[in-house]
């Protein structure tokens, strides 16, 4: 029996740029089809989602551009591709609904996080709409305003 060394629902990787570049409309939890060396690399936290995106092709959903860097101790008889296209697993009705939404102008699918759930790797994807430049500036303004309020609260508490 294998022991789990990770806490349940622990995060592996996060795509912080997605929240800056897109308005998140809906979130979906998708399973992933992975090789053994990829799972081992994910256990050590060697994943990156910053340049990744989700594509629908022939009624199936794929994660493209997400990197899983192999461990140095990976087997020599396996050829490793860090940026291999990975298939995502969703229910048929969810995929059909996403296809209808993505065909609308301005909507896209972006990966948000990779995390462990009951021993399986899950990818949280979002139906998102792109932000205009002025929206990004307002996001920065809000974030800086929150930081200033937190700093003021900290200085008062001291």
């Amino acid at each position: 029996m294998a022991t789990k060394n990770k806490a349940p629902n622990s995060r592996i990787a996060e795509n912080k740029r997605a929240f800056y570049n897109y308005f998140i409309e809906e979130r979906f939890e998708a399973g992933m089809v992975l090789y053994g060396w990829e799972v081992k690399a994910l256990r050590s936290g060697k994943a990156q989602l910053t340049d990744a995106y989700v594509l629908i092709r022939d009624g199936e959903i794929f994660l493209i551009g997400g990197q899983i860097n192999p461990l140095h101790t990976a087997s020599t008889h396996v050829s490793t591709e860090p940026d291999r296209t990975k298939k995502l697993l969703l229910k048929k009705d969810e995929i059909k609904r996403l296809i209808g939404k993505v065909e609308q102008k301005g909507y896209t699918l972006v990966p948000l996080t990779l995390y462990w759930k009951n021993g399986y790797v899950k990818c949280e994807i979002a139906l998102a709409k792109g932000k205009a430049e002025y929206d990004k500036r307002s996001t920065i303004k809000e974030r800086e305003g929150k930081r200033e309020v937190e700093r003021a609260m900290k200085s008062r508490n001291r």
Side-chain angles (χ1 to χ4, degrees), residues 76-115:
T76 56
H77 67 279
V78 176
S79 62
T80 58
E81 286 183 59
D83 55 353
R84 180 182 73 87
T85 300
K86 294 146 199 75
K87 185 176 177 181
L88 298 178
L89 306 171
L90 282 172
K91 294 181 179 178
K92 279 186 180 179
D93 59 330
E94 289 177 333
I95 293 174
K96 288 178 184 176
R97 193 162 151 243
L98 286 175
I99 290 171
K101 290 281 192 174
V102 169
E103 288 175 353
Q104 292 178 12
K105 187 177 179 187
Y107 282 101
T108 187
L109 293 171
V110 293
L112 298 179
T113 57
L114 286 179
Y115 58 94

Side-chain angles (χ1 to χ4, degrees), residues 13-157:
E14 190 173 11
N15 187 359
K16 293 180 181 177
R17 290 184 85 184
F19 295 100
Y20 176 72
N21 290 330
Y22 300 99
F23 291 115
I24 306 301
E25 302 284 326
E26 285 184 72
R27 296 174 185 231
F28 297 91
E29 179 182 82
M32 293 182 73
V33 177
L34 298 171
Y35 292 136
W37 68 267
E38 291 174 321
V39 176
K40 288 179 182 179
L42 288 174
R43 283 199 181 113
S44 64
K46 295 190 175 276
Q48 182 180 8
L49 285 177
T50 47
D51 297 329
Y53 58 97
V54 178
L55 192 70
I56 299 174
R57 199 180 315 148
D58 298 327
E60 296 179 331
I61 297 183
F62 296 94
L63 176 68
I64 300 173
Q67 288 195 345
I68 300 175
N69 297 320
L71 296 173
H72 295 293
T73 59
S75 178
T76 56
H77 67 279
V78 176
S79 62
T80 58
E81 286 183 59
D83 55 353
R84 180 182 73 87
T85 300
K86 294 146 199 75
K87 185 176 177 181
L88 298 178
L89 306 171
L90 282 172
K91 294 181 179 178
K92 279 186 180 179
D93 59 330
E94 289 177 333
I95 293 174
K96 288 178 184 176
R97 193 162 151 243
L98 286 175
I99 290 171
K101 290 281 192 174
V102 169
E103 288 175 353
Q104 292 178 12
K105 187 177 179 187
Y107 282 101
T108 187
L109 293 171
V110 293
L112 298 179
T113 57
L114 286 179
Y115 58 94
W116 294 100
K117 183 174 181 183
N118 300 328
Y120 294 102
V121 177
K122 300 290 182 176
C123 180
E124 183 179 27
I125 61 174
L127 183 66
K129 199 166 197 173
K131 285 185 180 179
E133 194 63 36
Y134 60 87
D135 290 327
K136 292 179 186 178
R137 284 193 289 263
S138 67
T139 302
I140 292 171
K141 245 185 210 180
E142 288 174 16
R143 187 172 53 214
E144 288 176 357
K146 287 179 185 177
R147 281 186 193 154
E148 288 178 18
V149 168
E150 288 176 9
R151 284 184 196 142
M153 295 300 285
K154 268 188 179 179
S155 64
R156 284 186 183 174
N157 291 338

Side-chain angles (χ1 to χ4, degrees), residues 4-11 116:
K4 294 179 187 174
N5 58 354
K6 290 286 179 183
N9 301 334
S10 64
R11 255 188 209 146
W116 294 100

